[in-house]
Amino acid sequence: MPQIDQYAVFGHPISHSKSPRIHGLFAKQTSQTLNYVARDVPADAFESNAGTFFAAGGKGLNCTVPLKELAWRYADTLTERARLSKAVNTLARQPDGRILGDNTDGMGLVNDLMTNNRIGLSGYRILILGAGGATRGILPPILEHHPGDITIANRTPAKAETIAYEFSHLGKLISSDFPGLAGRQFDLIINATSASLSDQLPPLPEKLLAANGSCYDLAYANEPTAFVRWGLQQGARLSLDGLGMLVEQAAEAFYLWRGIRPETSPVIKLLDGERGESSVPA
Ligand code: NDP
């Protein structure tokens, strides 16, 4: 009997992960036979667990907090966007047995912004809050769409400075702390801090959002996050959370593994409906 192709998401913690459900829905929709499970893998056990998984014939892994940098080091070869990000969320076994590392987070965000929500990027003044792994992941695909400029603001300003320097050959990047944003305006504000996970908000000056501007929180929750609520209070045209990005980054990983692109909108709609009546515009 032929073996079923095995996939998994590793992370710590992982019990909240929606990835098994999303990939299960993609597999059903595209008539692919595969198995996708979530495994709690702490950082110090990543290498041995990934080794065992691939040695047993595993086809692909997703890696989430706190494993993305370790996955970047683990990969035998990297896509350009993963090389630049220094973070990998998708590992794929290649026909020659080597393990390819990719980062589909940024493409997931860009697809959710541009295709699902008609938010343009070209010429935009963009503010990214936070300078962690997620910011590194989203920068290369955003920069491909030629924004006017991107400001990265972080609680620890030195980290924003490092990222602005590292990516400076790809576009106009400015680093800042939060108070330094006073008096400036942006067409799109992206929250890539993990503050939302504890329902907190970075200390943001007034009037940051330009008329007709939009807000996007990479974090997602059953209720509107503190940042999504802030965006609505600031009069944002759209103030969205990261559920769409989550589904879109999964679709990119699925495409890398299976060579077939699932339709994302029915999956986003289903998961959005499952979190109950939401005041988040979608
Ligand atoms: P990291 O831990 O790498 O970085 C966290 C960032 O948040 C740092 O810049 C940190 O600042 C900042 N931060 C944390 N707490 C606060 C606070 N209270 N006030 C201000 N800044 C704060 O996390 P990631 O970059 O990996 O993830 C960031 C967010 O993106 C998470 O919410 C994650 O869930 C989400 N995400 C969503 C995805 C999706 O598919 N929707 C995909 C990937 C990530 P400092 O440097 O000063 O510590």
Side-chain angles (χ1 to χ4, degrees):
M1 205 169 77
Q3 271 210 330
I4 294 179
D5 289 348
Q6 301 292 328
Y7 298 88
V9 56
F10 286 2
H12 182 72
I14 199 68
S15 56
H16 65 284
S17 176
K18 292 186 193 293
S19 293
R21 176 136 167 76
I22 293 171
H23 283 279
L25 290 165
F26 286 165
K28 195 169 170 206
Q29 185 202 98
T30 58
S31 305
Q32 298 281 299
T33 306
L34 57 85
N35 190 31
Y36 186 112
V37 296
R39 275 211 220 138
D40 196 307
V41 176
D44 59 4
F46 173 70
E47 207 175 319
S48 61
N49 275 268
T52 307
F53 176 81
F54 284 116
K59 296 277 184 192
L61 272 185
N62 283 136
C63 302
T64 185
V65 178
L67 307 174
K68 290 184 186 179
E69 198 186 324
L70 291 171
W72 181 76
R73 293 183 194 285
Y74 182 85
D76 297 316
T77 170
L78 294 165
T79 60
E80 179 60 8
R81 60 192 181 191
R83 189 185 68 75
L84 287 165
S85 302
K86 296 187 177 160
V88 155
N89 74 337
T90 305
L91 292 168
R93 170 198 284 286
Q94 302 299 281
D96 64 2
R98 298 202 322 152
I99 306 300
L100 172 71
D102 194 7
N103 189 320
T104 66
D105 282 339
M107 186 57 88
L109 171 65
V110 167
N111 286 346
D112 196 39
L113 286 170
M114 298 187 77
T115 309
N116 300 341
N117 292 290
R118 308 263 172 245
I119 297 174
L121 297 173
S122 170
Y124 268 33
R125 295 161 295 171
I126 298 177
L127 170 61
I128 300 178
L129 306 169
T135 295
R136 289 180 165 280
I138 64 178
L139 273 172
I142 292 178
L143 283 160
E144 275 177 26
H145 291 276
H146 308 293
D149 56 52
I150 300 182
T151 300
I152 303 166
N154 197 39
R155 183 172 63 178
T156 312
K159 282 208 224 164
E161 271 167 40
T162 304
I163 295 186
Y165 175 75
E166 274 182 39
F167 288 83
S168 57
H169 61 294
L170 296 177
K172 187 171 176 201
L173 290 161
I174 301 153
S175 64
S176 179
D177 55 11
F178 294 127
L181 297 171
R184 299 191 53 208
Q185 284 215 310
F186 300 93
D187 305 302
L188 173 63
I189 305 180
I190 297 169
N191 181 26
T193 72
S194 43
S196 291
L197 301 177
S198 45
D199 206 35
Q200 289 180 333
L201 191 67
L204 299 175
E206 287 298 308
K207 300 192 177 134
L208 272 187
L209 191 65
N212 215 27
S214 295
C215 291
Y216 196 103
D217 197 345
L218 300 199
Y220 53 88
N222 283 340
E223 300 296 326
T225 65
F227 181 74
V228 166
R229 298 197 304 271
W230 178 85
L232 293 171
Q233 284 157 13
Q234 303 300 309
R237 184 170 69 84
L238 290 170
S239 190
L240 304 161
D241 78 1
L243 181 69
M245 172 180 174
L246 178 76
V247 175
E248 293 292 345
Q249 63 76 28
E252 281 291 308
F254 193 91
Y255 178 67
L256 183 74
W257 292 331
R258 308 297 299 181
I260 181 164
R261 207 173 274 285
E263 252 196 78
T264 49
S265 49
V267 177
I268 296 173
K269 218 172 183 174
L270 186 74
L271 295 183
D272 193 28
E274 283 177 0
R275 58 184 177 175
E277 285 299 304
S278 165
S279 57
V280 184

Short mmCIF file of all heavy atoms in Angstrom, two decimals, residues 64-65 68 105 129-136 153-157 159 178 191-198 200-203 216-220 241-247 249, ligand 1:
data_model
loop_
_atom_site.label_atom_id
_atom_site.label_comp_id
_atom_site.label_asym_id
_atom_site.label_seq_id
_atom_site.Cartn_x
_atom_site.Cartn_y
_atom_site.Cartn_z
N THR A 64 7.01 27.41 13.52
CA THR A 64 6.51 28.67 14.07
C THR A 64 7.30 29.00 15.34
O THR A 64 8.32 28.36 15.62
CB THR A 64 4.97 28.59 14.24
OG1 THR A 64 4.50 29.86 14.68
CG2 THR A 64 4.54 27.52 15.22
N VAL A 65 6.84 30.02 16.07
CA VAL A 65 7.56 30.50 17.27
C VAL A 65 7.92 29.33 18.18
O VAL A 65 7.07 28.49 18.44
CB VAL A 65 6.64 31.48 18.04
CG1 VAL A 65 7.31 31.95 19.32
CG2 VAL A 65 6.30 32.67 17.15
N LYS A 68 11.74 29.64 13.99
CA LYS A 68 11.97 30.08 12.60
C LYS A 68 13.45 30.32 12.30
O LYS A 68 13.90 30.06 11.19
CB LYS A 68 11.14 31.33 12.29
CG LYS A 68 9.64 31.01 12.21
CD LYS A 68 8.84 32.22 11.82
CE LYS A 68 7.34 31.89 11.90
NZ LYS A 68 6.50 33.02 11.55
N ASP A 105 5.67 33.88 4.91
CA ASP A 105 4.88 34.84 5.70
C ASP A 105 4.64 36.14 4.93
O ASP A 105 3.52 36.68 4.91
CB ASP A 105 5.60 35.18 7.02
CG ASP A 105 5.46 34.09 8.06
OD1 ASP A 105 4.52 33.27 7.95
OD2 ASP A 105 6.29 34.04 8.98
N LEU A 129 5.46 48.37 12.90
CA LEU A 129 5.76 48.39 14.34
C LEU A 129 6.37 47.05 14.70
O LEU A 129 5.78 46.00 14.43
CB LEU A 129 4.47 48.61 15.14
CG LEU A 129 3.65 49.84 14.73
CD1 LEU A 129 2.28 49.81 15.40
CD2 LEU A 129 4.39 51.12 15.10
N GLY A 130 7.57 47.07 15.32
CA GLY A 130 8.22 45.82 15.71
C GLY A 130 9.40 45.52 14.80
O GLY A 130 9.42 45.92 13.61
N ALA A 131 10.39 44.85 15.36
CA ALA A 131 11.60 44.52 14.59
C ALA A 131 12.06 43.11 14.91
O ALA A 131 13.25 42.85 15.08
CB ALA A 131 12.70 45.55 14.90
N GLY A 132 11.11 42.19 14.97
CA GLY A 132 11.43 40.79 15.22
C GLY A 132 11.44 39.98 13.94
O GLY A 132 11.56 40.52 12.83
N GLY A 133 11.28 38.66 14.10
CA GLY A 133 11.33 37.75 12.95
C GLY A 133 10.25 38.04 11.93
O GLY A 133 10.49 37.94 10.71
N ALA A 134 9.06 38.41 12.40
CA ALA A 134 7.96 38.65 11.46
C ALA A 134 8.27 39.85 10.57
O ALA A 134 8.02 39.82 9.36
CB ALA A 134 6.65 38.85 12.21
N THR A 135 8.84 40.90 11.14
CA THR A 135 9.20 42.08 10.33
C THR A 135 10.22 41.69 9.26
O THR A 135 10.09 42.08 8.09
CB THR A 135 9.76 43.20 11.25
OG1 THR A 135 8.71 43.62 12.10
CG2 THR A 135 10.29 44.38 10.45
N ARG A 136 11.20 40.90 9.63
CA ARG A 136 12.20 40.44 8.64
C ARG A 136 11.51 39.65 7.52
O ARG A 136 11.87 39.77 6.35
CB ARG A 136 13.22 39.54 9.31
CG ARG A 136 14.15 40.27 10.22
CD ARG A 136 15.14 39.32 10.87
NE ARG A 136 16.22 40.09 11.45
CZ ARG A 136 17.24 40.59 10.76
NH1 ARG A 136 17.37 40.34 9.48
NH2 ARG A 136 18.15 41.32 11.34
N ALA A 153 9.54 50.99 13.40
CA ALA A 153 9.63 51.55 14.75
C ALA A 153 9.61 50.42 15.76
O ALA A 153 8.77 49.52 15.67
CB ALA A 153 8.47 52.50 15.01
N ASN A 154 10.53 50.48 16.70
CA ASN A 154 10.60 49.39 17.69
C ASN A 154 10.88 49.92 19.09
O ASN A 154 11.52 50.96 19.24
CB ASN A 154 11.69 48.38 17.27
CG ASN A 154 11.53 47.05 17.98
OD1 ASN A 154 10.41 46.58 18.18
ND2 ASN A 154 12.62 46.45 18.40
N ARG A 155 10.39 49.15 20.08
CA ARG A 155 10.64 49.47 21.49
C ARG A 155 12.14 49.54 21.75
O ARG A 155 12.63 50.40 22.45
CB ARG A 155 9.97 48.36 22.32
CG ARG A 155 10.02 48.52 23.78
CD ARG A 155 9.16 47.46 24.42
NE ARG A 155 9.63 46.09 24.14
CZ ARG A 155 9.07 44.99 24.62
NH1 ARG A 155 8.00 45.08 25.37
NH2 ARG A 155 9.56 43.80 24.33
N THR A 156 12.88 48.59 21.17
CA THR A 156 14.34 48.60 21.25
C THR A 156 14.85 49.14 19.90
O THR A 156 14.95 48.40 18.92
CB THR A 156 14.87 47.16 21.47
OG1 THR A 156 14.13 46.55 22.52
CG2 THR A 156 16.35 47.15 21.80
N PRO A 157 15.14 50.45 19.83
CA PRO A 157 15.39 51.06 18.52
C PRO A 157 16.58 50.46 17.78
O PRO A 157 16.59 50.43 16.54
CB PRO A 157 15.66 52.54 18.87
CG PRO A 157 15.15 52.74 20.24
CD PRO A 157 15.16 51.43 20.94
N LYS A 159 17.34 47.50 17.22
CA LYS A 159 16.94 46.38 16.36
C LYS A 159 16.32 46.91 15.06
O LYS A 159 16.51 46.34 13.98
CB LYS A 159 15.92 45.50 17.09
CG LYS A 159 16.53 44.57 18.10
CD LYS A 159 15.62 43.35 18.24
CE LYS A 159 15.43 42.97 19.67
NZ LYS A 159 14.30 42.06 19.87
N PHE A 178 9.29 54.77 19.17
CA PHE A 178 7.87 55.16 19.08
C PHE A 178 7.67 56.67 19.22
O PHE A 178 6.96 57.27 18.40
CB PHE A 178 7.03 54.37 20.08
CG PHE A 178 6.98 52.89 19.78
CD1 PHE A 178 7.30 51.95 20.74
CD2 PHE A 178 6.61 52.43 18.52
CE1 PHE A 178 7.26 50.60 20.47
CE2 PHE A 178 6.58 51.07 18.22
CZ PHE A 178 6.91 50.15 19.20
N ASN A 191 1.12 46.21 12.36
CA ASN A 191 1.62 45.86 13.70
C ASN A 191 2.28 44.49 13.65
O ASN A 191 1.61 43.46 13.54
CB ASN A 191 0.47 45.85 14.71
CG ASN A 191 0.97 45.52 16.10
OD1 ASN A 191 2.14 45.77 16.43
ND2 ASN A 191 0.11 44.95 16.93
N ALA A 192 3.61 44.48 13.71
CA ALA A 192 4.35 43.21 13.75
C ALA A 192 5.02 43.04 15.11
O ALA A 192 6.02 42.33 15.22
CB ALA A 192 5.39 43.18 12.63
N THR A 193 4.47 43.70 16.14
CA THR A 193 4.93 43.41 17.50
C THR A 193 4.09 42.24 18.02
O THR A 193 3.04 41.92 17.46
CB THR A 193 4.75 44.59 18.47
OG1 THR A 193 3.34 44.74 18.76
CG2 THR A 193 5.28 45.88 17.89
N SER A 194 4.56 41.63 19.09
CA SER A 194 3.74 40.58 19.70
C SER A 194 2.90 41.15 20.85
O SER A 194 2.35 40.40 21.64
CB SER A 194 4.63 39.43 20.17
OG SER A 194 5.78 39.91 20.81
N ALA A 195 2.77 42.50 20.92
CA ALA A 195 2.00 43.13 22.00
C ALA A 195 0.54 42.67 22.01
O ALA A 195 -0.05 42.49 23.07
CB ALA A 195 2.08 44.65 21.87
N SER A 196 -0.02 42.45 20.82
CA SER A 196 -1.44 42.06 20.75
C SER A 196 -1.71 40.75 21.47
O SER A 196 -2.83 40.52 21.93
CB SER A 196 -1.87 41.89 19.29
OG SER A 196 -1.91 43.13 18.65
N LEU A 197 -0.68 39.90 21.55
CA LEU A 197 -0.90 38.59 22.17
C LEU A 197 -1.25 38.74 23.65
O LEU A 197 -1.86 37.87 24.24
CB LEU A 197 0.34 37.69 21.98
CG LEU A 197 0.76 37.43 20.52
CD1 LEU A 197 2.02 36.60 20.45
CD2 LEU A 197 -0.37 36.76 19.74
N SER A 198 -0.86 39.89 24.26
CA SER A 198 -1.26 40.17 25.65
C SER A 198 -2.20 41.37 25.68
O SER A 198 -2.28 42.09 26.68
CB SER A 198 -0.03 40.40 26.52
OG SER A 198 0.88 41.25 25.87
N GLN A 200 -2.07 44.22 24.42
CA GLN A 200 -1.43 45.51 24.65
C GLN A 200 -1.22 46.21 23.32
O GLN A 200 -1.31 45.59 22.26
CB GLN A 200 -0.07 45.32 25.32
CG GLN A 200 -0.21 44.87 26.76
CD GLN A 200 1.16 44.69 27.41
OE1 GLN A 200 2.15 44.42 26.73
NE2 GLN A 200 1.21 44.84 28.70
N LEU A 201 -0.90 47.50 23.44
CA LEU A 201 -0.69 48.33 22.25
C LEU A 201 0.62 49.07 22.42
O LEU A 201 0.87 49.62 23.50
CB LEU A 201 -1.85 49.33 22.19
CG LEU A 201 -2.04 50.15 20.94
CD1 LEU A 201 -2.44 49.28 19.77
CD2 LEU A 201 -3.13 51.19 21.20
N PRO A 202 1.48 49.14 21.41
CA PRO A 202 2.69 49.98 21.54
C PRO A 202 2.25 51.43 21.78
O PRO A 202 1.17 51.83 21.32
CB PRO A 202 3.38 49.83 20.18
CG PRO A 202 2.80 48.61 19.57
CD PRO A 202 1.41 48.47 20.10
N PRO A 203 3.05 52.23 22.47
CA PRO A 203 2.67 53.63 22.75
C PRO A 203 2.78 54.48 21.48
O PRO A 203 3.87 54.91 21.10
CB PRO A 203 3.70 54.06 23.80
CG PRO A 203 4.87 53.17 23.58
CD PRO A 203 4.37 51.89 23.00
N TYR A 216 -3.16 46.99 9.82
CA TYR A 216 -3.13 45.52 9.72
C TYR A 216 -2.32 44.97 10.89
O TYR A 216 -1.15 45.31 11.06
CB TYR A 216 -2.49 45.10 8.40
CG TYR A 216 -2.76 43.65 8.04
CD1 TYR A 216 -3.70 43.30 7.09
CD2 TYR A 216 -2.06 42.61 8.69
CE1 TYR A 216 -3.95 41.97 6.77
CE2 TYR A 216 -2.32 41.28 8.37
CZ TYR A 216 -3.26 40.97 7.42
OH TYR A 216 -3.51 39.65 7.11
N ASP A 217 -2.94 44.11 11.68
CA ASP A 217 -2.25 43.46 12.80
C ASP A 217 -1.88 42.04 12.36
O ASP A 217 -2.76 41.27 11.94
CB ASP A 217 -3.21 43.39 14.01
CG ASP A 217 -2.47 43.10 15.31
OD1 ASP A 217 -1.29 42.69 15.25
OD2 ASP A 217 -3.07 43.30 16.38
N LEU A 218 -0.61 41.68 12.43
CA LEU A 218 -0.23 40.31 12.05
C LEU A 218 -0.84 39.28 13.00
O LEU A 218 -1.08 38.14 12.63
CB LEU A 218 1.29 40.13 12.06
CG LEU A 218 2.15 41.00 11.14
CD1 LEU A 218 3.52 40.35 10.97
CD2 LEU A 218 1.53 41.23 9.79
N ALA A 219 -1.07 39.69 14.25
CA ALA A 219 -1.69 38.78 15.21
C ALA A 219 -3.17 38.62 14.89
O ALA A 219 -3.77 39.49 14.24
CB ALA A 219 -1.51 39.31 16.62
N TYR A 220 -3.76 37.52 15.32
CA TYR A 220 -5.19 37.33 15.12
C TYR A 220 -5.77 36.72 16.39
O TYR A 220 -5.06 36.08 17.17
CB TYR A 220 -5.47 36.42 13.91
CG TYR A 220 -4.72 35.12 13.97
CD1 TYR A 220 -5.25 34.01 14.62
CD2 TYR A 220 -3.44 35.03 13.43
CE1 TYR A 220 -4.53 32.82 14.70
CE2 TYR A 220 -2.71 33.85 13.52
CZ TYR A 220 -3.27 32.75 14.15
OH TYR A 220 -2.55 31.60 14.25
N ASP A 241 -7.07 41.98 11.09
CA ASP A 241 -6.10 41.17 11.81
C ASP A 241 -5.49 40.12 10.86
O ASP A 241 -5.80 40.08 9.67
CB ASP A 241 -6.68 40.58 13.10
CG ASP A 241 -7.58 39.37 12.86
OD1 ASP A 241 -7.75 38.95 11.70
OD2 ASP A 241 -8.11 38.84 13.85
N GLY A 242 -4.59 39.27 11.40
CA GLY A 242 -3.73 38.43 10.56
C GLY A 242 -4.29 37.06 10.19
O GLY A 242 -3.53 36.20 9.73
N LEU A 243 -5.62 36.88 10.32
CA LEU A 243 -6.17 35.57 9.94
C LEU A 243 -5.97 35.29 8.44
O LEU A 243 -5.59 34.18 8.05
CB LEU A 243 -7.67 35.49 10.30
CG LEU A 243 -8.31 34.16 9.98
CD1 LEU A 243 -7.80 33.05 10.90
CD2 LEU A 243 -9.84 34.24 10.08
N GLY A 244 -6.23 36.31 7.63
CA GLY A 244 -6.06 36.14 6.18
C GLY A 244 -4.61 35.82 5.82
O GLY A 244 -4.33 34.96 4.98
N MET A 245 -3.67 36.50 6.51
CA MET A 245 -2.25 36.23 6.26
C MET A 245 -1.91 34.79 6.63
O MET A 245 -1.15 34.12 5.92
CB MET A 245 -1.41 37.20 7.10
CG MET A 245 0.07 36.90 7.10
SD MET A 245 0.93 38.10 8.13
CE MET A 245 2.60 37.43 8.13
N LEU A 246 -2.47 34.32 7.73
CA LEU A 246 -2.20 32.95 8.18
C LEU A 246 -2.61 31.94 7.10
O LEU A 246 -1.86 31.01 6.76
CB LEU A 246 -2.98 32.67 9.48
CG LEU A 246 -2.82 31.27 10.02
CD1 LEU A 246 -1.46 31.10 10.69
CD2 LEU A 246 -3.94 30.94 11.00
N VAL A 247 -3.80 32.16 6.54
CA VAL A 247 -4.29 31.23 5.50
C VAL A 247 -3.46 31.38 4.23
O VAL A 247 -3.10 30.39 3.59
CB VAL A 247 -5.80 31.48 5.23
CG1 VAL A 247 -6.28 30.61 4.07
CG2 VAL A 247 -6.63 31.21 6.48
N GLN A 249 -0.26 32.42 3.93
CA GLN A 249 1.10 31.86 4.04
C GLN A 249 1.03 30.33 3.97
O GLN A 249 1.93 29.69 3.43
CB GLN A 249 1.85 32.36 5.29
CG GLN A 249 1.29 32.01 6.66
CD GLN A 249 1.53 30.57 7.10
OE1 GLN A 249 2.51 29.96 6.67
NE2 GLN A 249 0.64 30.02 7.89
P1 NDP B 1 9.42 38.35 17.86
O1 NDP B 1 9.39 37.81 19.25
O2 NDP B 1 10.52 37.99 16.94
O3 NDP B 1 9.38 39.96 17.92
C1 NDP B 1 8.47 40.61 18.77
C2 NDP B 1 8.48 42.10 18.52
O4 NDP B 1 7.43 42.68 19.30
C3 NDP B 1 9.79 42.80 18.94
O5 NDP B 1 10.05 43.85 18.03
C4 NDP B 1 9.43 43.35 20.33
O6 NDP B 1 10.16 44.51 20.68
C5 NDP B 1 7.98 43.72 20.12
N1 NDP B 1 7.17 43.77 21.34
C6 NDP B 1 6.82 42.75 22.14
N2 NDP B 1 6.00 43.18 23.14
C7 NDP B 1 5.85 44.51 22.96
C8 NDP B 1 5.13 45.54 23.65
N3 NDP B 1 4.40 45.24 24.74
N4 NDP B 1 5.18 46.79 23.19
C9 NDP B 1 5.90 47.09 22.08
N5 NDP B 1 6.62 46.18 21.38
C10 NDP B 1 6.59 44.91 21.81
O7 NDP B 1 7.98 37.95 17.25
P2 NDP B 1 7.62 37.73 15.71
O8 NDP B 1 8.23 38.83 14.95
O9 NDP B 1 7.91 36.33 15.30
O10 NDP B 1 6.01 37.86 15.72
C11 NDP B 1 5.36 39.12 15.88
C12 NDP B 1 3.85 38.97 15.75
O11 NDP B 1 3.50 38.55 14.42
C13 NDP B 1 3.25 37.91 16.69
O12 NDP B 1 2.02 38.45 17.19
C14 NDP B 1 2.95 36.73 15.77
O13 NDP B 1 1.88 35.96 16.24
C15 NDP B 1 2.56 37.47 14.49
N6 NDP B 1 2.72 36.64 13.26
C16 NDP B 1 1.58 36.33 12.53
C17 NDP B 1 1.66 35.58 11.38
C18 NDP B 1 0.40 35.27 10.61
O14 NDP B 1 0.44 34.39 9.73
N7 NDP B 1 -0.70 35.95 10.84
C19 NDP B 1 2.95 35.06 10.89
C20 NDP B 1 4.09 35.48 11.70
C21 NDP B 1 3.95 36.22 12.85
P3 NDP B 1 11.65 44.41 21.32
O15 NDP B 1 12.58 44.18 20.17
O16 NDP B 1 11.83 45.74 21.95
O17 NDP B 1 11.61 43.28 22.30
#
